[in-house]
Amino acid sequence: MSQVEPVPHNGRNHRSAKWFQGDSINAASSRAWLRSQGHSASMFDGRPTIGVINSWADTTPCNMSLRDVAEHVKRGVRRAGGFPLELPVMSLGETLMKPTTMLYRNLMAMEVEECIRAYPFDGVVLLSGCDKTTPGMILGLASTDVPGIVVTSGPMLRSIRGTQELGGSSGLWKADTAHRTGAITGRAWREIEGCIARSAGHCGVMGSASTMAIVAEALGLTLPGNAAIPAVDSRRLALAEESGYRIVQMVDEGLVPERILTRAAFENAITALMAVGGSTNAIIHITAIARRAGVDITPADFDRISRRTPVIANVLPVGTHQMEDFFYAGGLPAVIHELGDLIDPDCVTVTGRSLPDECADAEILDPDTIRPLADPLQADGGIAVLRGNLCPDGAVIKHAAASPGLRRHRGRAVVFRDKYDLEARVHDPALDVDASSVLVLQNSGPVGGPGMPEWGMLPIPLKLAKQGVVDMVRISDARMSGTSFGTCVLHVSPEAAVGGPLGLVEDGDEIELDIANRSLTLLVSDEELARRRERWRPAVAAPQRGFTSLYVRHVEQAHEGADFGFLAGRTSVSEQMYQP
Ligand code: FES
């Protein structure tokens, strides 16, 4: 796309006209206070007003480049004849926010939605990057009927120490184990800290941020190629400018989210998720976005699509490369093109064209990083959905990142009541545990966490790590970071804190995991489970004030997207608009 002329507006009566047109005192004050910024009167001649919604924050280092990105978006909006107005929204910095950014995803989504409704925007460009900022933005947009386009910050440069590839945040987990077991020195550990995140951008492996950027692109909410361009590559700024240009066209075309977020778009996003070996967190976000968009996506859809979709992106933590390499190899357009018939062409993206059409001439430029379908990294998708008496509403496992020897496993449960119990006991030399044990973490789900923190990759007990044990079966109602790995069963639903069977597991119970058969079974009789259920009491006292009290009262379970029930569906901004 390389238009240089302003978009010829089609005379549509823009929503912003209700703020800016006419002689009323409301219209005069709307104009006057914007003119205090030096905007000329010509900005109110009926051109579209575009909100540039920015999640930049010092506390979200992955989004720090978005100030620059915003300027380039605004350049594109002006070039197309629009009027850009930038505003900040809540930002969610993965490494600093406790207990988890997931606790605040819905709050950010509400803020984005309410800003779109309350301000005179005819279209919006959403700037995101770090893990939960992209779903937070998309959830807000999907709840409205205002055209929107997403621009992400892009992955950071690959992490490297000397000539050693560190593997980004995935490598940090491994370095931590090496440091705790004495395999690397304190000096090496400190140097790695300085090498692991060495530029602007979000985590540079196929963690949750990269995965959600790919989901956004596959849904059709970004310009083609957005997901993988490194944050510091000038092509990201060029894409930002083109996104600003395109949103003005989208306003005039009436290309609203409802036309983009169709069932085909969600199926394509799930296919892309599986093909890149993406983060399990995306399952929760995609489910929540679909519920806002009125599309019924269930855990069974993820498993069905996973079974038919090979993993072809050889990117950490499933593969060996980093996102920078993935970009050089062709990025998501090359993946989409290679997936061929697995992508539904009956969809439309922000360009107005279908996803396969946009990727028709894309090429794989490095067949080791993006594998041909004939030589995939793994024959079926990276994520499996499990069922069984331990998870009546499902659980997930990123089996592409699991140990082959544990894909079918039976072992004795070692139960931790919550995160604090885990921290207190897991490394105790006296803990009754061996390599065949199954580590179980309770009370870490949406209500129990609260916010379903990324505690699902339970640490290997130190005494076993020192013996060379690198993986064990681990089960929880928590999530895990997209950069994590291991045989970790996650998102057990219903969660322990609301009475799910996970909360009934006791030390010594036998548990069987069978990934091929998609089953997770607690080998305890129904009668005994009924007795335990009689005795069960919630272990977590419900918070009584603030956002957290609202959260635990309204959050739904993992298999429903962990959204607030009262936010399902979308409503028109016209229906719910304050009349200026
Ligand atoms: Fe922001 Fe990893 S910490 S994406």
Side-chain angles (χ1 to χ4, degrees):
M1 200 183 303
S2 60
Q3 296 95 326
V4 293
E5 295 300 321
V7 174
H9 301 303
N10 65 5
R12 179 185 296 274
N13 186 14
H14 295 308
R15 178 175 180 250
S16 58
K18 293 194 168 70
W19 276 262
F20 297 136
Q21 303 299 306
D23 290 330
S24 71
I25 186 170
N26 281 342
S29 67
S30 296
R31 294 188 298 260
W33 264 258
L34 281 170
R35 290 178 71 175
S36 73
Q37 296 182 30
H39 295 301
S40 72
S42 63
M43 288 299 115
F44 311 106
D45 62 0
R47 70 187 65 205
T49 302
I50 304 298
V52 181
I53 302 184
N54 199 343
S55 57
W56 173 91
D58 271 342
T59 48
T60 310
C62 305
N63 295 21
M64 69 182 175
S65 56
L66 293 178
R67 271 185 166 171
D68 271 356
V69 169
E71 289 307 314
H72 287 260
V73 170
K74 289 193 271 187
R75 183 192 286 185
V77 171
R78 291 192 195 97
R79 203 183 91 209
F83 178 28
L85 292 173
E86 182 184 351
L87 74 163
V89 289
M90 179 180 195
S91 195
L92 309 175
E94 192 68 27
T95 50
L96 297 180
M97 265 189 135
K98 304 298 176 201
T100 167
T101 49
M102 186 64 181
L103 178 60
Y104 301 105
R105 182 202 68 179
N106 298 348
L107 183 59
M108 180 181 178
M110 289 173 74
E111 186 184 356
V112 171
E113 176 183 345
E114 297 305 324
C115 284
I116 293 173
R117 291 186 188 285
Y119 282 118
F121 298 144
D122 302 304
V124 290
V125 180
L126 307 170
L127 306 186
S128 63
C130 197
D131 285 17
K132 308 305 176 294
T133 58
T134 297
M137 288 284 194
I138 297 175
L139 283 164
L141 174 70
S143 308
T144 75
D145 57 355
V146 168
I149 189 165
V150 175
V151 180
T152 52
S153 60
M156 59 179 61
L157 295 177
R158 67 156 67 78
S159 57
I160 192 163
R161 175 174 175 250
T163 57
Q164 182 196 2
E165 296 268 357
L166 293 175
S169 26
S170 296
L172 193 59
W173 298 109
K174 290 179 177 154
D176 175 49
T177 301
H179 180 226
R180 286 189 297 111
T181 57
I184 62 170
T185 65
R187 178 191 174 93
W189 173 240
R190 287 189 296 277
E191 283 186 9
I192 286 169
E193 177 184 314
C195 304
I196 211 85
R198 62 189 185 91
S199 81
H202 57 70
C203 286
V205 296
M206 198 60 77
S208 300
S210 299
T211 302
M212 286 311 298
I214 277 170
V215 165
E217 187 172 331
L219 281 171
L221 291 174
T222 76
L223 289 185
N226 168 80
I229 304 171
V232 297
D233 192 304
S234 60
R235 284 168 281 188
R236 178 152 298 280
L237 298 179
L239 180 136
E241 181 177 327
E242 293 303 338
S243 299
Y245 188 93
R246 178 61 195 153
I247 189 63
V248 177
Q249 293 178 316
M250 287 173 66
V251 170
D252 284 305
E253 293 165 9
L255 186 47
V256 294
E258 185 175 9
R259 290 179 54 197
I260 297 172
L261 295 176
T262 59
R263 177 154 198 105
F266 284 100
E267 296 239 346
N268 288 341
I270 297 169
T271 302
L273 163 69
M274 299 304 170
V276 301
S279 164
T280 46
N281 286 324
I283 292 183
I284 298 177
H285 301 318
I286 291 172
T287 303
I289 296 164
R291 283 165 69 92
R292 300 273 184 121
V295 175
D296 185 26
I297 294 289
T298 67
D301 291 311
F302 290 93
D303 202 61
R304 169 178 54 83
I305 295 172
S306 177
R307 286 177 188 268
R308 75 177 186 207
T309 310
V311 180
I312 60 172
N314 182 11
V315 180
L316 284 158
V318 171
T320 54
H321 295 286
Q322 300 190 38
M323 284 300 289
E324 193 182 340
D325 310 300
F326 181 70
F327 172 60
Y328 301 142
L332 187 64
V335 171
I336 297 294
H337 179 65
E338 185 64 18
L339 289 172
D341 291 345
L342 293 172
I343 295 295
D344 189 334
D346 188 20
C347 59
V348 63
T349 74
V350 290
T351 65
R353 306 202 308 154
S354 75
L355 190 63
D357 282 353
E358 283 297 343
C359 304
D361 56 358
E363 291 176 70
I364 295 176
L365 301 175
D366 169 10
D368 186 48
T369 302
I370 298 178
R371 299 280 184 84
L373 267 185
D375 180 27
L377 198 67
Q378 183 172 302
D380 60 355
I383 299 174
V385 177
L386 307 173
R387 293 279 183 180
N389 67 344
L390 192 46
C391 53
D393 290 326
V396 305
I397 183 165
K398 189 172 186 173
H399 61 97
S403 299
L406 292 174
R407 295 169 71 92
R408 181 165 189 194
H409 180 80
R410 182 190 283 209
R412 280 183 315 123
V414 177
V415 180
F416 300 96
R417 197 177 58 255
D418 55 31
K419 161 84 166 167
Y420 308 100
D421 184 32
L422 173 76
E423 287 177 347
R425 295 194 296 121
V426 70
H427 297 310
D428 184 341
L431 184 68
D432 183 14
V433 66
D434 61 37
S436 70
S437 300
V438 174
L439 304 182
V440 174
L441 175 64
Q442 301 168 328
N443 296 306
S444 301
V447 172
M452 219 180 160
E454 293 182 339
W455 296 336
M457 189 175 79
L458 281 69
I460 303 294
L462 197 52
K463 69 178 180 184
L464 299 180
K466 284 181 173 168
Q467 294 166 16
V469 176
V470 294
D471 195 11
M472 298 172 69
V473 174
R474 293 161 267 182
I475 301 173
S476 74
D477 45 14
R479 298 173 299 115
M480 80 175 181
S481 164
T483 63
S484 302
F485 47 86
T487 312
C488 303
V489 177
L490 311 160
H491 311 183
V492 168
S493 186
E495 62 173 304
V498 299
L502 186 73
L504 306 180
V505 183
E506 296 182 356
D507 280 335
D509 289 348
E510 292 251 306
I511 294 177
E512 186 172 72
L513 168 68
D514 186 344
I515 295 176
N517 285 316
R518 302 296 198 257
S519 69
L520 181 67
T521 310
L522 177 62
L523 298 165
V524 173
S525 70
D526 291 344
E527 295 74 26
E528 172 60 16
L529 288 178
R531 276 193 290 276
R532 292 182 190 179
R533 188 163 282 113
E534 292 264 302
R535 297 196 302 268
W536 179 85
R537 297 287 177 275
V540 186
Q544 293 302 312
R545 75 172 301 278
F547 173 72
T548 312
S549 73
L550 180 144
Y551 183 92
V552 297
R553 275 184 283 130
H554 293 286
V555 72
E556 298 182 327
Q557 289 294 288
H559 70 281
E560 301 165 308
D563 201 0
F564 293 155
F566 62 83
L567 291 175
R570 72 158 67 84
T571 51
S572 164
V573 289
S574 314
E575 284 168 23
Q576 284 197 355
M577 195 178 77
Y578 161 70
Q579 296 299 323

